[in-house]
Amino acid sequence: MDASKLNWLSATDATHAIRDGSITSEQMMQACLARVREADPQVQAWTYLDEEHALRQARARDLDRSEGRPCGPLHGIPVGIKDIFDTCDMPTEDGTALHAGRTPSYDAAAVASLRAAGAVIMGKTVTTECAYYSPGKTRNPHNPEHTPGGSSSGSAAAVAS
């Protein structure tokens, strides 16, 4: 499978490829990170992304698989989290300066469920301030003169780009 095209796989196809061993979670993450590096300077969908942290998580999922530990339905799949959902290992700032640098000590239930299913949390996507007020920095990937609008602008733009 062409590693440069892995980020274009659907979650279902990527899950099958990781499960059958034709690709690794690390390879999938590398492809997604390469796409972010390419597109995000213009789109600005991500508010927090630590590539090494994402790769460590992906390698841990690969180790789980190679050592025969149970794999969840999203095993090794990269996921971006909207910056209103708490994550214990990265900042949750709710798109507002009021919460700058806030790193919760626990995961939101949705994030905990994703991790339990084997997903790899890439980072945090931009949200409008407190998921309600002024738009964030994100640009529409199909027309950078416009905002993608809405509180999930970063998430939408990350997927669209």
Side-chain angles (χ1 to χ4, degrees), residues 4-36:
S4 69
K5 305 234 187 282
L6 294 179
N7 59 295
W8 296 107
L9 291 175
S10 69
T12 301
D13 290 342
T15 299
H16 291 302
I18 291 169
R19 193 170 307 257
D20 73 19
S22 58
I23 66 169
T24 65
S25 178
E26 182 177 5
Q27 289 171 317
M28 185 71 203
M29 181 60 73
Q30 289 280 17
C32 289
L33 291 170
R35 180 62 186 153
V36 169

PDB file of all heavy atoms in Angstrom, residues 4-36:
ATOM      1  N   SER A   4       2.116   7.191   1.064  1.00  0.00           N
ATOM      2  CA  SER A   4       1.766   8.600   0.894  1.00  0.00           C
ATOM      3  C   SER A   4       0.267   8.819   0.735  1.00  0.00           C
ATOM      4  O   SER A   4      -0.213   9.937   0.789  1.00  0.00           O
ATOM      5  CB  SER A   4       2.499   9.199  -0.302  1.00  0.00           C
ATOM      6  OG  SER A   4       2.008   8.644  -1.503  1.00  0.00           O
ATOM      7  N   LYS A   5      -0.483   7.755   0.553  1.00  0.00           N
ATOM      8  CA  LYS A   5      -1.935   7.867   0.349  1.00  0.00           C
ATOM      9  C   LYS A   5      -2.742   7.313   1.533  1.00  0.00           C
ATOM     10  O   LYS A   5      -3.972   7.306   1.493  1.00  0.00           O
ATOM     11  CB  LYS A   5      -2.329   7.134  -0.922  1.00  0.00           C
ATOM     12  CG  LYS A   5      -1.568   7.593  -2.155  1.00  0.00           C
ATOM     13  CD  LYS A   5      -2.492   7.987  -3.250  1.00  0.00           C
ATOM     14  CE  LYS A   5      -1.767   8.278  -4.523  1.00  0.00           C
ATOM     15  NZ  LYS A   5      -1.118   9.521  -4.615  1.00  0.00           N
ATOM     16  N   LEU A   6      -2.075   6.882   2.580  1.00  0.00           N
ATOM     17  CA  LEU A   6      -2.784   6.273   3.703  1.00  0.00           C
ATOM     18  C   LEU A   6      -3.786   7.218   4.356  1.00  0.00           C
ATOM     19  O   LEU A   6      -4.842   6.787   4.817  1.00  0.00           O
ATOM     20  CB  LEU A   6      -1.800   5.771   4.755  1.00  0.00           C
ATOM     21  CG  LEU A   6      -0.894   4.616   4.342  1.00  0.00           C
ATOM     22  CD1 LEU A   6       0.036   4.237   5.484  1.00  0.00           C
ATOM     23  CD2 LEU A   6      -1.719   3.421   3.898  1.00  0.00           C
ATOM     24  N   ASN A   7      -3.476   8.514   4.396  1.00  0.00           N
ATOM     25  CA  ASN A   7      -4.383   9.458   5.047  1.00  0.00           C
ATOM     26  C   ASN A   7      -5.712   9.596   4.304  1.00  0.00           C
ATOM     27  O   ASN A   7      -6.660  10.152   4.844  1.00  0.00           O
ATOM     28  CB  ASN A   7      -3.727  10.836   5.203  1.00  0.00           C
ATOM     29  CG  ASN A   7      -3.303  11.430   3.890  1.00  0.00           C
ATOM     30  OD1 ASN A   7      -2.417  10.880   3.236  1.00  0.00           O
ATOM     31  ND2 ASN A   7      -3.906  12.531   3.490  1.00  0.00           N
ATOM     32  N   TRP A   8      -5.796   9.085   3.090  1.00  0.00           N
ATOM     33  CA  TRP A   8      -7.040   9.155   2.332  1.00  0.00           C
ATOM     34  C   TRP A   8      -7.932   7.930   2.562  1.00  0.00           C
ATOM     35  O   TRP A   8      -9.056   7.888   2.062  1.00  0.00           O
ATOM     36  CB  TRP A   8      -6.751   9.315   0.841  1.00  0.00           C
ATOM     37  CG  TRP A   8      -6.052  10.609   0.551  1.00  0.00           C
ATOM     38  CD1 TRP A   8      -4.740  10.776   0.213  1.00  0.00           C
ATOM     39  CD2 TRP A   8      -6.600  11.926   0.626  1.00  0.00           C
ATOM     40  NE1 TRP A   8      -4.443  12.100   0.068  1.00  0.00           N
ATOM     41  CE2 TRP A   8      -5.563  12.842   0.322  1.00  0.00           C
ATOM     42  CE3 TRP A   8      -7.859  12.424   0.938  1.00  0.00           C
ATOM     43  CZ2 TRP A   8      -5.762  14.216   0.297  1.00  0.00           C
ATOM     44  CZ3 TRP A   8      -8.044  13.804   0.916  1.00  0.00           C
ATOM     45  CH2 TRP A   8      -7.019  14.680   0.597  1.00  0.00           C
ATOM     46  N   LEU A   9      -7.444   6.946   3.318  1.00  0.00           N
ATOM     47  CA  LEU A   9      -8.267   5.777   3.625  1.00  0.00           C
ATOM     48  C   LEU A   9      -9.431   6.165   4.531  1.00  0.00           C
ATOM     49  O   LEU A   9      -9.291   7.039   5.392  1.00  0.00           O
ATOM     50  CB  LEU A   9      -7.448   4.704   4.353  1.00  0.00           C
ATOM     51  CG  LEU A   9      -6.371   3.977   3.576  1.00  0.00           C
ATOM     52  CD1 LEU A   9      -5.593   3.052   4.511  1.00  0.00           C
ATOM     53  CD2 LEU A   9      -6.982   3.189   2.429  1.00  0.00           C
ATOM     54  N   SER A  10     -10.554   5.500   4.358  1.00  0.00           N
ATOM     55  CA  SER A  10     -11.648   5.686   5.312  1.00  0.00           C
ATOM     56  C   SER A  10     -11.235   5.036   6.632  1.00  0.00           C
ATOM     57  O   SER A  10     -10.309   4.208   6.668  1.00  0.00           O
ATOM     58  CB  SER A  10     -12.927   5.017   4.790  1.00  0.00           C
ATOM     59  OG  SER A  10     -12.772   3.602   4.812  1.00  0.00           O
ATOM     60  N   ALA A  11     -11.904   5.402   7.703  1.00  0.00           N
ATOM     61  CA  ALA A  11     -11.604   4.793   9.001  1.00  0.00           C
ATOM     62  C   ALA A  11     -11.815   3.281   8.933  1.00  0.00           C
ATOM     63  O   ALA A  11     -11.033   2.512   9.508  1.00  0.00           O
ATOM     64  CB  ALA A  11     -12.459   5.414  10.100  1.00  0.00           C
ATOM     65  N   THR A  12     -12.841   2.845   8.222  1.00  0.00           N
ATOM     66  CA  THR A  12     -13.106   1.407   8.092  1.00  0.00           C
ATOM     67  C   THR A  12     -11.972   0.705   7.366  1.00  0.00           C
ATOM     68  O   THR A  12     -11.468  -0.331   7.821  1.00  0.00           O
ATOM     69  CB  THR A  12     -14.440   1.168   7.356  1.00  0.00           C
ATOM     70  OG1 THR A  12     -15.490   1.789   8.103  1.00  0.00           O
ATOM     71  CG2 THR A  12     -14.737  -0.304   7.197  1.00  0.00           C
ATOM     72  N   ASP A  13     -11.538   1.279   6.237  1.00  0.00           N
ATOM     73  CA  ASP A  13     -10.454   0.664   5.473  1.00  0.00           C
ATOM     74  C   ASP A  13      -9.139   0.685   6.260  1.00  0.00           C
ATOM     75  O   ASP A  13      -8.378  -0.288   6.234  1.00  0.00           O
ATOM     76  CB  ASP A  13     -10.270   1.354   4.123  1.00  0.00           C
ATOM     77  CG  ASP A  13     -11.417   1.074   3.164  1.00  0.00           C
ATOM     78  OD1 ASP A  13     -12.171   0.102   3.385  1.00  0.00           O
ATOM     79  OD2 ASP A  13     -11.566   1.836   2.183  1.00  0.00           O
ATOM     80  N   ALA A  14      -8.880   1.786   6.952  1.00  0.00           N
ATOM     81  CA  ALA A  14      -7.663   1.870   7.762  1.00  0.00           C
ATOM     82  C   ALA A  14      -7.692   0.857   8.897  1.00  0.00           C
ATOM     83  O   ALA A  14      -6.680   0.206   9.181  1.00  0.00           O
ATOM     84  CB  ALA A  14      -7.490   3.285   8.315  1.00  0.00           C
ATOM     85  N   THR A  15      -8.830   0.694   9.531  1.00  0.00           N
ATOM     86  CA  THR A  15      -8.966  -0.288  10.609  1.00  0.00           C
ATOM     87  C   THR A  15      -8.666  -1.688  10.098  1.00  0.00           C
ATOM     88  O   THR A  15      -7.925  -2.443  10.736  1.00  0.00           O
ATOM     89  CB  THR A  15     -10.390  -0.239  11.213  1.00  0.00           C
ATOM     90  OG1 THR A  15     -10.608   1.059  11.758  1.00  0.00           O
ATOM     91  CG2 THR A  15     -10.570  -1.274  12.299  1.00  0.00           C
ATOM     92  N   HIS A  16      -9.232  -2.032   8.943  1.00  0.00           N
ATOM     93  CA  HIS A  16      -8.980  -3.360   8.366  1.00  0.00           C
ATOM     94  C   HIS A  16      -7.508  -3.539   8.015  1.00  0.00           C
ATOM     95  O   HIS A  16      -6.925  -4.599   8.278  1.00  0.00           O
ATOM     96  CB  HIS A  16      -9.855  -3.603   7.133  1.00  0.00           C
ATOM     97  CG  HIS A  16     -11.308  -3.743   7.444  1.00  0.00           C
ATOM     98  ND1 HIS A  16     -11.812  -4.690   8.305  1.00  0.00           N
ATOM     99  CD2 HIS A  16     -12.366  -3.030   7.016  1.00  0.00           C
ATOM    100  CE1 HIS A  16     -13.124  -4.575   8.393  1.00  0.00           C
ATOM    101  NE2 HIS A  16     -13.491  -3.562   7.627  1.00  0.00           N
ATOM    102  N   ALA A  17      -6.892  -2.505   7.445  1.00  0.00           N
ATOM    103  CA  ALA A  17      -5.483  -2.599   7.050  1.00  0.00           C
ATOM    104  C   ALA A  17      -4.569  -2.752   8.265  1.00  0.00           C
ATOM    105  O   ALA A  17      -3.604  -3.521   8.239  1.00  0.00           O
ATOM    106  CB  ALA A  17      -5.082  -1.377   6.227  1.00  0.00           C
ATOM    107  N   ILE A  18      -4.868  -2.043   9.341  1.00  0.00           N
ATOM    108  CA  ILE A  18      -4.078  -2.175  10.570  1.00  0.00           C
ATOM    109  C   ILE A  18      -4.312  -3.547  11.191  1.00  0.00           C
ATOM    110  O   ILE A  18      -3.375  -4.229  11.600  1.00  0.00           O
ATOM    111  CB  ILE A  18      -4.410  -1.039  11.572  1.00  0.00           C
ATOM    112  CG1 ILE A  18      -3.884   0.295  11.026  1.00  0.00           C
ATOM    113  CG2 ILE A  18      -3.818  -1.340  12.947  1.00  0.00           C
ATOM    114  CD1 ILE A  18      -4.366   1.516  11.792  1.00  0.00           C
ATOM    115  N   ARG A  19      -5.555  -3.974  11.220  1.00  0.00           N
ATOM    116  CA  ARG A  19      -5.892  -5.269  11.820  1.00  0.00           C
ATOM    117  C   ARG A  19      -5.246  -6.432  11.071  1.00  0.00           C
ATOM    118  O   ARG A  19      -4.746  -7.372  11.683  1.00  0.00           O
ATOM    119  CB  ARG A  19      -7.406  -5.447  11.869  1.00  0.00           C
ATOM    120  CG  ARG A  19      -7.863  -6.597  12.738  1.00  0.00           C
ATOM    121  CD  ARG A  19      -9.361  -6.558  12.940  1.00  0.00           C
ATOM    122  NE  ARG A  19      -9.780  -5.258  13.431  1.00  0.00           N
ATOM    123  CZ  ARG A  19     -10.112  -4.992  14.684  1.00  0.00           C
ATOM    124  NH1 ARG A  19     -10.108  -5.931  15.574  1.00  0.00           N
ATOM    125  NH2 ARG A  19     -10.470  -3.781  15.042  1.00  0.00           N
ATOM    126  N   ASP A  20      -5.227  -6.362   9.720  1.00  0.00           N
ATOM    127  CA  ASP A  20      -4.642  -7.485   8.966  1.00  0.00           C
ATOM    128  C   ASP A  20      -3.125  -7.357   8.793  1.00  0.00           C
ATOM    129  O   ASP A  20      -2.482  -8.216   8.206  1.00  0.00           O
ATOM    130  CB  ASP A  20      -5.346  -7.692   7.621  1.00  0.00           C
ATOM    131  CG  ASP A  20      -5.050  -6.640   6.558  1.00  0.00           C
ATOM    132  OD1 ASP A  20      -4.048  -5.909   6.662  1.00  0.00           O
ATOM    133  OD2 ASP A  20      -5.838  -6.552   5.599  1.00  0.00           O
ATOM    134  N   GLY A  21      -2.556  -6.249   9.307  1.00  0.00           N
ATOM    135  CA  GLY A  21      -1.104  -6.100   9.303  1.00  0.00           C
ATOM    136  C   GLY A  21      -0.513  -5.540   8.018  1.00  0.00           C
ATOM    137  O   GLY A  21       0.697  -5.488   7.879  1.00  0.00           O
ATOM    138  N   SER A  22      -1.374  -5.108   7.084  1.00  0.00           N
ATOM    139  CA  SER A  22      -0.811  -4.555   5.846  1.00  0.00           C
ATOM    140  C   SER A  22      -0.232  -3.157   6.068  1.00  0.00           C
ATOM    141  O   SER A  22       0.598  -2.704   5.276  1.00  0.00           O
ATOM    142  CB  SER A  22      -1.829  -4.569   4.705  1.00  0.00           C
ATOM    143  OG  SER A  22      -2.981  -3.848   5.035  1.00  0.00           O
ATOM    144  N   ILE A  23      -0.654  -2.477   7.116  1.00  0.00           N
ATOM    145  CA  ILE A  23      -0.033  -1.221   7.545  1.00  0.00           C
ATOM    146  C   ILE A  23       0.033  -1.218   9.073  1.00  0.00           C
ATOM    147  O   ILE A  23      -0.647  -2.001   9.734  1.00  0.00           O
ATOM    148  CB  ILE A  23      -0.789   0.042   7.051  1.00  0.00           C
ATOM    149  CG1 ILE A  23      -2.184   0.137   7.691  1.00  0.00           C
ATOM    150  CG2 ILE A  23      -0.839   0.088   5.547  1.00  0.00           C
ATOM    151  CD1 ILE A  23      -2.877   1.471   7.457  1.00  0.00           C
ATOM    152  N   THR A  24       0.831  -0.319   9.598  1.00  0.00           N
ATOM    153  CA  THR A  24       0.898  -0.161  11.049  1.00  0.00           C
ATOM    154  C   THR A  24       0.203   1.142  11.440  1.00  0.00           C
ATOM    155  O   THR A  24      -0.008   2.036  10.605  1.00  0.00           O
ATOM    156  CB  THR A  24       2.354  -0.106  11.541  1.00  0.00           C
ATOM    157  OG1 THR A  24       2.972   1.081  11.006  1.00  0.00           O
ATOM    158  CG2 THR A  24       3.130  -1.349  11.141  1.00  0.00           C
ATOM    159  N   SER A  25      -0.126   1.238  12.702  1.00  0.00           N
ATOM    160  CA  SER A  25      -0.685   2.476  13.223  1.00  0.00           C
ATOM    161  C   SER A  25       0.318   3.615  13.057  1.00  0.00           C
ATOM    162  O   SER A  25      -0.053   4.749  12.726  1.00  0.00           O
ATOM    163  CB  SER A  25      -1.064   2.306  14.696  1.00  0.00           C
ATOM    164  OG  SER A  25      -1.557   3.507  15.218  1.00  0.00           O
ATOM    165  N   GLU A  26       1.592   3.318  13.251  1.00  0.00           N
ATOM    166  CA  GLU A  26       2.619   4.345  13.089  1.00  0.00           C
ATOM    167  C   GLU A  26       2.650   4.864  11.652  1.00  0.00           C
ATOM    168  O   GLU A  26       2.754   6.073  11.417  1.00  0.00           O
ATOM    169  CB  GLU A  26       3.990   3.833  13.495  1.00  0.00           C
ATOM    170  CG  GLU A  26       5.061   4.889  13.377  1.00  0.00           C
ATOM    171  CD  GLU A  26       6.434   4.438  13.845  1.00  0.00           C
ATOM    172  OE1 GLU A  26       6.616   3.246  14.190  1.00  0.00           O
ATOM    173  OE2 GLU A  26       7.334   5.285  13.848  1.00  0.00           O
ATOM    174  N   GLN A  27       2.540   3.975  10.676  1.00  0.00           N
ATOM    175  CA  GLN A  27       2.522   4.408   9.280  1.00  0.00           C
ATOM    176  C   GLN A  27       1.296   5.284   9.000  1.00  0.00           C
ATOM    177  O   GLN A  27       1.396   6.297   8.306  1.00  0.00           O
ATOM    178  CB  GLN A  27       2.512   3.204   8.338  1.00  0.00           C
ATOM    179  CG  GLN A  27       3.820   2.449   8.311  1.00  0.00           C
ATOM    180  CD  GLN A  27       3.700   1.143   7.547  1.00  0.00           C
ATOM    181  OE1 GLN A  27       2.723   0.405   7.695  1.00  0.00           O
ATOM    182  NE2 GLN A  27       4.696   0.865   6.717  1.00  0.00           N
ATOM    183  N   MET A  28       0.163   4.884   9.550  1.00  0.00           N
ATOM    184  CA  MET A  28      -1.064   5.668   9.374  1.00  0.00           C
ATOM    185  C   MET A  28      -0.889   7.052   9.985  1.00  0.00           C
ATOM    186  O   MET A  28      -1.244   8.067   9.363  1.00  0.00           O
ATOM    187  CB  MET A  28      -2.235   4.922  10.017  1.00  0.00           C
ATOM    188  CG  MET A  28      -3.563   5.560   9.797  1.00  0.00           C
ATOM    189  SD  MET A  28      -4.053   5.376   8.066  1.00  0.00           S
ATOM    190  CE  MET A  28      -5.186   6.726   7.945  1.00  0.00           C
ATOM    191  N   MET A  29      -0.321   7.099  11.192  1.00  0.00           N
ATOM    192  CA  MET A  29      -0.107   8.378  11.859  1.00  0.00           C
ATOM    193  C   MET A  29       0.876   9.240  11.076  1.00  0.00           C
ATOM    194  O   MET A  29       0.663  10.444  10.917  1.00  0.00           O
ATOM    195  CB  MET A  29       0.389   8.162  13.287  1.00  0.00           C
ATOM    196  CG  MET A  29       0.611   9.457  14.057  1.00  0.00           C
ATOM    197  SD  MET A  29      -0.886  10.470  14.229  1.00  0.00           S
ATOM    198  CE  MET A  29      -1.761   9.483  15.426  1.00  0.00           C
ATOM    199  N   GLN A  30       1.953   8.628  10.586  1.00  0.00           N
ATOM    200  CA  GLN A  30       2.934   9.383   9.795  1.00  0.00           C
ATOM    201  C   GLN A  30       2.268  10.039   8.586  1.00  0.00           C
ATOM    202  O   GLN A  30       2.535  11.198   8.272  1.00  0.00           O
ATOM    203  CB  GLN A  30       4.073   8.476   9.320  1.00  0.00           C
ATOM    204  CG  GLN A  30       5.005   8.043  10.421  1.00  0.00           C
ATOM    205  CD  GLN A  30       6.034   9.111  10.779  1.00  0.00           C
ATOM    206  OE1 GLN A  30       5.904  10.282  10.462  1.00  0.00           O
ATOM    207  NE2 GLN A  30       7.063   8.689  11.486  1.00  0.00           N
ATOM    208  N   ALA A  31       1.388   9.301   7.910  1.00  0.00           N
ATOM    209  CA  ALA A  31       0.693   9.842   6.739  1.00  0.00           C
ATOM    210  C   ALA A  31      -0.224  10.997   7.133  1.00  0.00           C
ATOM    211  O   ALA A  31      -0.272  12.032   6.445  1.00  0.00           O
ATOM    212  CB  ALA A  31      -0.101   8.738   6.041  1.00  0.00           C
ATOM    213  N   CYS A  32      -0.921  10.842   8.223  1.00  0.00           N
ATOM    214  CA  CYS A  32      -1.817  11.918   8.674  1.00  0.00           C
ATOM    215  C   CYS A  32      -1.026  13.149   9.100  1.00  0.00           C
ATOM    216  O   CYS A  32      -1.406  14.278   8.772  1.00  0.00           O
ATOM    217  CB  CYS A  32      -2.710  11.419   9.812  1.00  0.00           C
ATOM    218  SG  CYS A  32      -3.955  10.233   9.264  1.00  0.00           S
ATOM    219  N   LEU A  33       0.062  12.940   9.806  1.00  0.00           N
ATOM    220  CA  LEU A  33       0.893  14.071  10.226  1.00  0.00           C
ATOM    221  C   LEU A  33       1.505  14.783   9.018  1.00  0.00           C
ATOM    222  O   LEU A  33       1.599  16.023   9.001  1.00  0.00           O
ATOM    223  CB  LEU A  33       1.985  13.609  11.187  1.00  0.00           C
ATOM    224  CG  LEU A  33       1.500  13.166  12.567  1.00  0.00           C
ATOM    225  CD1 LEU A  33       2.635  12.504  13.349  1.00  0.00           C
ATOM    226  CD2 LEU A  33       0.899  14.332  13.347  1.00  0.00           C
ATOM    227  N   ALA A  34       1.909  14.031   8.005  1.00  0.00           N
ATOM    228  CA  ALA A  34       2.451  14.648   6.797  1.00  0.00           C
ATOM    229  C   ALA A  34       1.392  15.529   6.131  1.00  0.00           C
ATOM    230  O   ALA A  34       1.690  16.638   5.671  1.00  0.00           O
ATOM    231  CB  ALA A  34       2.948  13.577   5.821  1.00  0.00           C
ATOM    232  N   ARG A  35       0.161  15.051   6.098  1.00  0.00           N
ATOM    233  CA  ARG A  35      -0.927  15.850   5.507  1.00  0.00           C
ATOM    234  C   ARG A  35      -1.188  17.114   6.327  1.00  0.00           C
ATOM    235  O   ARG A  35      -1.414  18.189   5.768  1.00  0.00           O
ATOM    236  CB  ARG A  35      -2.192  15.012   5.378  1.00  0.00           C
ATOM    237  CG  ARG A  35      -3.341  15.761   4.773  1.00  0.00           C
ATOM    238  CD  ARG A  35      -3.047  16.219   3.360  1.00  0.00           C
ATOM    239  NE  ARG A  35      -4.150  17.059   2.880  1.00  0.00           N
ATOM    240  CZ  ARG A  35      -4.034  17.999   1.973  1.00  0.00           C
ATOM    241  NH1 ARG A  35      -2.879  18.207   1.376  1.00  0.00           N
ATOM    242  NH2 ARG A  35      -5.069  18.707   1.615  1.00  0.00           N
ATOM    243  N   VAL A  36      -1.133  16.994   7.651  1.00  0.00           N
ATOM    244  CA  VAL A  36      -1.320  18.173   8.506  1.00  0.00           C
ATOM    245  C   VAL A  36      -0.207  19.188   8.233  1.00  0.00           C
ATOM    246  O   VAL A  36      -0.479  20.388   8.074  1.00  0.00           O
ATOM    247  CB  VAL A  36      -1.356  17.786   9.999  1.00  0.00           C
ATOM    248  CG1 VAL A  36      -1.286  19.020  10.891  1.00  0.00           C
ATOM    249  CG2 VAL A  36      -2.612  16.973  10.318  1.00  0.00           C
TER     250      VAL A  36
END
